[in-house]
Amino acid sequence: MRLANRVNRISVSPTMAVLMEAEKLKSRGVDVVDFGPGEPDFATPEHIKAAAIEALAQNRTKYTASAGIMPLREAVCGWHGEQLGSSYEPAESIVTVGGKHAIYNAVSALIEEGDEVIIPAPYWVSFPDIVRLAGGEAVFVPTKAASGFRLRAEEIEPAITPQTRMVIVNSPNNPTGAVIPEEEFERIYELCRSHGIWLMTDECYSHFTYGAARPYSIASVRESKPHLIVIGSLSKTFAMTGWRIGYALAPKPLIDAMIKIQSQSTSNPTSIAQYAGLAALTGSMDSVPVMLAEYARRRARILAGLSAIRGVSCAEPSGAFYAFPDMSKRLVNGSGDSMILARQLLEREHLVVVPGDAFGAPGFLRFSYATSIERIEEGLRRLDHFFAASAAAT
Ligand code: PLP
């Protein structure tokens, strides 16, 4: 079959192979410990679900404006201003089918053949492929485990060329959990401004920070607006991954271009999900600290468990719900990659982890701790067993 070239530029996420094997085992009734999921294991709060039910009862089941219903655009701007200190008008906002779709729309509106987009590694799997789909080239800038994967402006600078159009940052980060310190974020913004390139900031984990880290947006620096694209999502903050509501905040001409693209693709995000989103952004946020406290407990447990394994080191994540240990000293036969290790953990221990190769970081594994403390304990037991058994075999 002759497929369009753009399809050959991208690949199905390499994480899928391991996750599909895991699904097969689960369907056979095997007790799988799953550190794979990139989504909260909490239920969507009741008042948000009730708003969707009410929207159904009110027959709010028709097309909406492409950019989303106006009360929701207002709520996005209001919420972001209140929580993260920005100052956007509804005309500078768009509601999308999840945060991923907001990234897709913005990249489609700005990037074309010959453009370069700088993406710090380890990176969330979709960034490079969304850039490639648009015809752009992803240029990776490695961040180091030794400095907690915290991105520095000086690491980006050498990668800037006359073709660079955008830098994509994600803090708190998936997969490392790293949070960029506020002063450094300002330096990154200043670097983008001085080179006339866009800074896209993916804030999808903004409200899951630990220790001294706090929810922060570079959009709180008012002058940043002309160079900034803020990407947000209700998926993680409100445990709403399946509802598919995200947003972007950006200068109006860019938002208008994104609305144009959206109007010729999805038309609008699902109407009833938008009403649920409205309840999320205007209602009680009591569920957020409850989730955060539970994630903090799990984080402490998994970090203690991982660092107790000989040869494994794990930079302390300041945000999100992932641990990203360096397993390179424990790779099978001292060589191979973390794909092989992930496969062996699945086959021998029925333990699901995502290999770092997927995120541009071979030698690492991603453990999501969006699972119960009991399952974390069980997973750590299996990990210990795996390494004890492999030590005995050599
Ligand atoms: N950005 C990052 C860094 C993510 O990890 C995810 C989801 O895992 C998303 C964006 C997209 O989330 P959604 O499309 O559900 O809003």
Side-chain angles (χ1 to χ4, degrees):
M1 189 191 299
R2 183 171 162 271
L3 297 172
N5 215 1
R6 77 177 68 85
V7 181
N8 302 325
R9 288 187 218 135
I10 61 169
S11 48
V12 174
S13 161
T15 60
M16 289 312 271
V18 180
L19 298 182
M20 275 160 69
E21 290 290 318
E23 280 315 310
K24 268 195 233 157
L25 286 176
K26 282 186 202 167
S27 67
R28 295 207 324 255
V30 176
D31 173 28
V32 174
V33 174
D34 197 349
F35 287 128
E39 61 180 346
D41 57 325
F42 299 99
T44 305
E46 288 305 321
H47 69 284
I48 300 176
K49 293 194 278 191
I53 294 167
E54 177 62 16
L56 265 178
Q58 299 281 334
N59 293 314
R60 298 197 193 281
T61 53
K62 305 287 165 51
Y63 291 132
T64 72
S66 277
I69 55 172
M70 191 44 86
L72 182 53
R73 292 172 80 187
E74 285 164 0
V76 165
C77 298
W79 183 87
H80 201 274
E82 209 170 280
Q83 295 285 323
L84 296 161
S86 68
S87 153
Y88 284 93
E89 300 291 323
E92 299 167 310
S93 74
I94 177 173
V95 179
T96 52
V97 185
K100 185 189 274 188
H101 187 217
I103 300 167
Y104 185 87
N105 282 344
V107 169
S108 304
L110 290 171
I111 302 302
E112 57 195 355
E113 299 289 332
D115 290 340
E116 293 176 6
V117 176
I118 295 177
I119 300 174
Y123 47 78
W124 180 48
V125 288
S126 293
F127 293 142
D129 274 351
I130 291 176
V131 167
R132 290 180 192 124
L133 257 181
E137 190 189 332
V139 175
F140 300 114
V141 168
T143 57
K144 296 178 200 69
S147 46
F149 296 109
R150 282 181 294 276
L151 177 67
R152 309 227 319 258
E154 66 186 43
E155 291 167 330
I156 300 174
E157 194 159 19
I160 297 176
T161 73
Q163 284 69 49
T164 308
R165 287 221 67 201
M166 185 187 286
V167 175
I168 303 181
V169 298
N170 168 222
S171 171
N173 183 272
N174 175 7
T176 66
V179 172
I180 301 172
E182 295 176 18
E183 324 76 67
E184 198 58 42
F185 225 132
E186 289 180 23
R187 279 193 274 275
I188 294 168
Y189 148 69
E190 184 50 37
L191 181 70
C192 292
R193 190 202 58 76
S194 66
H195 284 82
I197 54 187
W198 287 97
L199 175 60
M200 177 186 279
T201 175
D202 179 340
E203 301 179 345
C204 149
Y205 296 93
S206 62
H207 280 61
F208 298 126
T209 54
Y210 311 99
R214 293 276 172 273
Y216 171 78
S217 174
I218 186 66
S220 59
V221 175
R222 296 296 154 87
E223 315 83 83
S224 66
K225 227 185 207 185
H227 311 280
L228 194 64
I229 308 160
V230 175
I231 302 293
S233 171
L234 276 60
S235 289
K236 322 280 170 166
T237 317
F238 299 99
M240 289 180 72
T241 47
W243 299 78
R244 313 305 304 129
I245 295 289
Y247 59 85
L249 300 166
K252 187 172 180 302
L254 173 55
I255 291 293
D256 287 344
M258 292 168 69
I259 296 172
K260 212 198 267 187
I261 293 171
Q262 183 149 299
S263 74
Q264 299 298 6
S265 54
T266 58
S267 287
N268 60 262
T270 305
S271 59
I272 53 175
Q274 290 190 56
Y275 285 95
L278 181 58
L281 295 177
T282 55
S284 156
M285 283 184 61
D286 288 355
S287 59
V288 179
V290 174
M291 284 194 277
L292 183 62
E294 183 56 26
Y295 286 142
R297 214 163 67 88
R298 297 167 178 183
R299 169 180 169 275
R301 184 63 197 94
I302 201 160
L303 284 180
L306 289 172
S307 49
I309 301 171
R310 192 171 45 83
V312 174
S313 58
C314 189
E316 197 174 304
S318 302
F321 40 68
Y322 307 107
F324 200 59
D326 181 354
M327 309 298 287
S328 54
K329 295 209 178 78
R330 301 304 305 257
L331 288 182
V332 189
N333 304 329
S335 64
D337 54 28
S338 48
M339 296 282 259
I340 298 171
L341 178 58
R343 184 160 291 283
Q344 292 189 334
L345 285 168
L346 181 65
E347 284 166 2
R348 296 184 196 164
E349 302 291 338
H350 302 150
L351 187 67
V352 183
V353 290
V354 184
D357 312 60
F359 311 101
F364 290 77
L365 291 179
R366 189 189 76 175
F367 289 69
S368 160
Y369 49 88
T371 186
S372 71
I373 210 107
E374 293 72 29
R375 297 310 278 168
I376 291 173
E377 300 280 359
E378 175 59 21
L380 289 169
R381 260 194 298 279
R382 292 186 192 189
L383 206 57
D384 278 340
H385 181 259
F386 174 86
F387 286 121
S390 10
T394 51

